[in-house]
């Protein structure tokens, strides 16, 4: 329960950290589309459905793990004469009914249930980790598509400007104020933009296919243009993320559940030395003589196999040591990946500020100055075109860095296992909770 409370608290804090807006704000559409895409991916993914079914099956196994073995009933005829079969001639001959019930040694049933419950916890945690990883992949594809759509719009605007520039250069050439090289250069740059548009369009088709595949839609399903978020996520705090991941990451929870499972297996191996008991009672009916009844208790002697018991215990202890090491491996991988994703997020945020506050405004100023200077013949056509292309190129770089920041946040979710992207389920599905 403490894990669930921490996840909910971290979700609230991270929601505020990434600049989430309340419903009705101008940026709501992209949030709604992202949430709908994640929900569709989770609901339609057959692998997740199979995992959830296996978790449910494991829960049912846990419910029956501590059940007693099936009782046995025996019905038969005992001591029947072979030469002349008769139920009444011999006083030993009788019709018999017997019942048996085996009782496992002390502690075995409870340990078997605990073992099954630990395995169920591990499977449920792995399921949640898979759901959040899939959600992060959907978000990554979403922001990649939004980036490509924004860059396509920038290039289309650039193409239109070049077309106007080419028309202007042609007109100036006709009246003897421009050079033929200007017209050819404008045509060349327009063709170059067309080539880049074709390349970006192909990249978008590939990214749209990935986006559709993650939602289990047909690869060629239409994906309308996506808008970039109007703001960027907040800067990462690796210490807090690591603390949250150590406390609430389903990857760590899965590894810890396997430690508990291995611990129960080790305990069960030690309990193997305790004998199992079988209680039996019978009733025999004789036709010409008095009826008979009896009862007995039998038990096995596992301690007569000390080598098997010691090897079984050693095997369980080795498995327990391996499971404990796996927990540290999971934590170390999270520390490494969180640090790398945080660095990537911080780098993109720094570059966003640099392009938005310095580079792009300077490029915009340079472009406007070049346009005015070209209009009065102070600079040549090539300088003017380069200023326009540089301005558009820097705007495209800004879009790439902004998308990179959101994709880094998706990578952080995939790494830490925490629900950092809006729309990510906080549980593994409709029936599997944290």
């Amino acid at each position: 329960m403490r894990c669930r409370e921490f996840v909910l608290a971290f979700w609230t804090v991270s929601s505020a950290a990434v600049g989430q807006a309340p419903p009705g704000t101008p940026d709501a559409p992209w949030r709604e589309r992202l949430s709908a895409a994640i929900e569709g991916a989770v609901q339609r993914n057959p692998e997740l459905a199979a995992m959830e079914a296996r978790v449910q099956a494991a829960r049912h196994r846990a419910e029956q793990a501590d059940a007693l073995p099936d009782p046995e009933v025996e019905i038969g005829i005992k001591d029947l004469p072979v030469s002349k079969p008769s139920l009444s001639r011999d006083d030993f001959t009788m019709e018999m009914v017997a019942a048996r019930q085996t009782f496992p040694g002390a502690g075995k049933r409870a340990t078997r249930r605990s073992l099954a419950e630990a395995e169920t916890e591990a499977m449920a945690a792995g399921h949640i980790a898979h759901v959040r990883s899939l959600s992060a992949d959907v978000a990554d594809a979403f922001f990649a598509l939004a980036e490509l759509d924004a860059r396509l719009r920038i290039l289309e605007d650039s193409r239109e400007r070049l077309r106007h520039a080419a028309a202007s250069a042609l007109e100036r050439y006709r009246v003897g104020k421009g050079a033929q090289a200007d017209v050819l250069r404008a045509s060349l740059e327009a063709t170059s933009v067309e080539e880049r548009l074709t390349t970006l369009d192909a990249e978008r088709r590939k990214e749209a296919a990935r986006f559709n595949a993650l939602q289990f839609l047909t690869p060629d399903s239409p994906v309308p243009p996506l808008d970039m978020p109007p703001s960027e996520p907040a800067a990462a705090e690796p210490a807090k993320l690591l603390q949250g991941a150590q406390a609430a990451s389903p990857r760590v929870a899965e590894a810890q559940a396997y430690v508990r499972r291995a611990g129960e297996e080790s305990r069960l191996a030690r309990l193997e030395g305790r004998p199992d008991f079988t209680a039996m009672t019978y009733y025999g009916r004789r036709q010409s003589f008095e009826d008979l009844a009896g009862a007995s208790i039998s038990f096995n002697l596992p301690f007569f196999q000390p080598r098997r018991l010691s090897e079984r215990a050693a095997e369980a202890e080795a498995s327990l040591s391996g499971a404990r090491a796996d927990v540290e491996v999971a934590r170390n991988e999270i520390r490494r990946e969180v640090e790398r994703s945080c660095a990537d997020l911080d780098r993109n945020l720094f570059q966003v500020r640099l392009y938005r506050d310095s580079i792009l405004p300077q490029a915009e100023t340079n472009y406007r100055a070049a346009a005015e200077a070209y209009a009065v013949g102070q600079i040549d056509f090539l300088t003017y075109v380069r200023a326009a292309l540089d301005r558009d190129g820097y705007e495209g770089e800004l879009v790439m860095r902004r998308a990179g920041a959101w994709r880094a946040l998706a990578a952080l979710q995939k790494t830490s296992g925490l629900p950092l992207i809006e729309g990510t389920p906080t549980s593994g599905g409709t029936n599997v909770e944290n």
Side-chain angles (χ1 to χ4, degrees):
M1 190 63 186
R2 292 177 60 190
C3 177
R4 167 178 283 278
E5 292 172 353
F6 187 92
V7 169
L8 292 176
F10 191 90
W11 165 243
T12 302
V13 173
S14 62
S15 295
V18 298
Q20 290 179 350
T25 55
D27 61 327
W30 77 264
R31 295 181 184 278
E32 294 171 0
R33 293 188 65 180
L34 176 57
S35 297
I38 291 175
E39 181 181 0
V42 172
Q43 294 297 326
R44 287 189 291 266
N45 191 308
E47 186 175 359
L48 292 183
M51 291 179 69
E52 187 163 339
R54 283 193 285 269
V55 172
Q56 294 297 333
R59 284 180 174 160
H60 291 301
R61 281 198 300 273
E63 292 296 324
Q64 57 185 300
D66 61 346
L68 288 171
D70 294 338
E72 298 179 16
V73 175
E74 178 182 352
I75 300 175
I77 299 175
K78 187 175 181 182
D79 297 331
L80 182 70
V82 177
S83 58
K84 295 180 179 180
S86 172
L87 295 176
S88 59
R89 183 160 57 88
D90 193 294
D91 60 347
F92 287 104
T93 303
M94 60 183 173
E95 301 165 350
M96 184 188 73
V97 58
R100 298 183 190 85
Q101 177 64 64
T102 298
F103 297 91
K108 289 184 179 180
R109 292 171 58 198
T111 303
R112 287 169 183 161
R113 183 182 180 97
S114 297
L115 190 154
E117 289 175 345
E119 185 173 1
T120 302
E121 290 176 11
M123 294 179 65
H127 180 40
I128 294 171
H130 195 172
V131 168
R132 293 179 184 171
S133 177
L134 174 64
S135 301
D137 287 337
V138 172
D140 181 78
F142 180 94
F143 294 125
L145 273 174
E147 173 201 326
L148 289 170
D149 287 337
R151 290 172 62 193
L152 282 168
R153 287 192 291 269
I154 293 170
L155 275 181
E156 288 168 356
D157 291 341
S158 182
R159 178 178 59 184
E160 289 303 313
R161 276 194 292 270
L162 285 171
R163 285 176 177 173
H164 289 304
S168 175
L170 180 60
E171 185 62 28
R172 289 168 64 88
Y173 173 69
R174 285 176 178 172
V175 298
K177 294 184 179 180
Q180 185 179 19
D182 293 345
V183 179
L184 297 175
R185 186 68 188 187
S187 177
L188 176 61
E189 293 295 345
T191 303
S192 177
V193 169
E194 290 286 353
E195 187 274 332
R196 279 181 285 167
L197 279 169
T198 302
T199 301
L200 282 184
D201 185 66
E203 290 182 16
R204 191 190 191 281
R205 289 178 57 189
K206 291 190 293 184
E207 200 61 49
R210 180 169 81 102
F211 187 58
N212 286 327
L214 288 168
Q215 300 175 74
F216 273 80
L217 302 172
T218 56
D220 58 349
S221 296
V223 180
L226 301 174
D227 294 326
M228 282 289 298
S231 60
E232 296 77 47
E237 297 186 44
K240 289 186 177 180
L241 281 170
L242 284 174
Q243 181 183 4
Q246 298 292 339
S249 172
R251 291 171 57 189
V252 175
E254 180 183 15
Q256 291 174 334
Y258 278 121
V259 170
R260 291 193 293 273
R261 179 181 182 275
E264 296 298 335
E265 286 182 337
S266 179
R267 182 184 176 195
L268 186 61
R270 293 192 299 270
L271 293 176
E272 289 294 329
R274 297 181 180 181
D276 299 332
F277 295 86
T278 301
M280 186 191 77
T281 183
Y282 74 91
Y283 178 83
R285 177 182 174 276
R286 299 190 295 180
Q287 291 195 6
S288 302
F289 304 94
E290 184 179 4
D291 293 348
L292 298 177
S296 66
I297 295 179
S298 63
F299 52 89
N300 62 341
L301 302 173
F303 43 79
F304 271 79
Q305 299 289 339
R307 181 180 178 184
R308 178 181 67 82
L309 293 178
S310 63
E311 291 297 329
R312 175 72 182 88
E315 175 193 354
E317 284 297 322
S319 297
L320 178 58
S321 298
R324 287 171 176 162
D326 286 339
V327 173
E328 295 306 313
V329 169
R331 285 175 172 164
N332 186 60
E333 288 181 351
I334 288 175
R335 283 193 293 268
R336 181 189 65 210
E337 295 300 326
V338 164
E339 185 63 34
R340 182 163 64 181
S341 297
C342 284
D344 192 29
L345 175 57
D346 291 341
R347 174 181 59 83
N348 279 286
L349 290 175
F350 173 79
Q351 291 175 334
V352 165
R353 290 191 296 270
L354 187 62
Y355 275 95
R356 183 176 54 205
D357 301 336
S358 179
I359 296 177
L360 188 56
Q362 293 179 44
E364 180 72 28
T365 301
N366 182 58
Y367 164 67
R368 293 184 182 279
E372 293 174 2
Y374 177 69
V376 296
Q378 293 182 351
I379 61 172
D380 60 16
F381 182 76
L382 179 59
T383 302
Y384 164 61
V385 169
R386 280 301 171 198
L389 293 177
D390 286 346
R391 185 262 176 215
D392 293 341
Y394 289 134
E395 186 178 6
E397 290 290 334
L398 173 60
V399 167
M400 293 171 62
R401 301 308 184 270
R402 295 185 65 236
W406 284 102
R407 296 180 72 177
L409 185 67
L412 271 174
Q413 172 169 306
K414 191 168 185 176
T415 295
S416 66
L418 299 173
L420 304 177
I421 300 294
E422 184 172 356
T424 300
T426 55
S427 64
T430 56
N431 300 317
V432 182
E433 295 186 352
N434 206 357

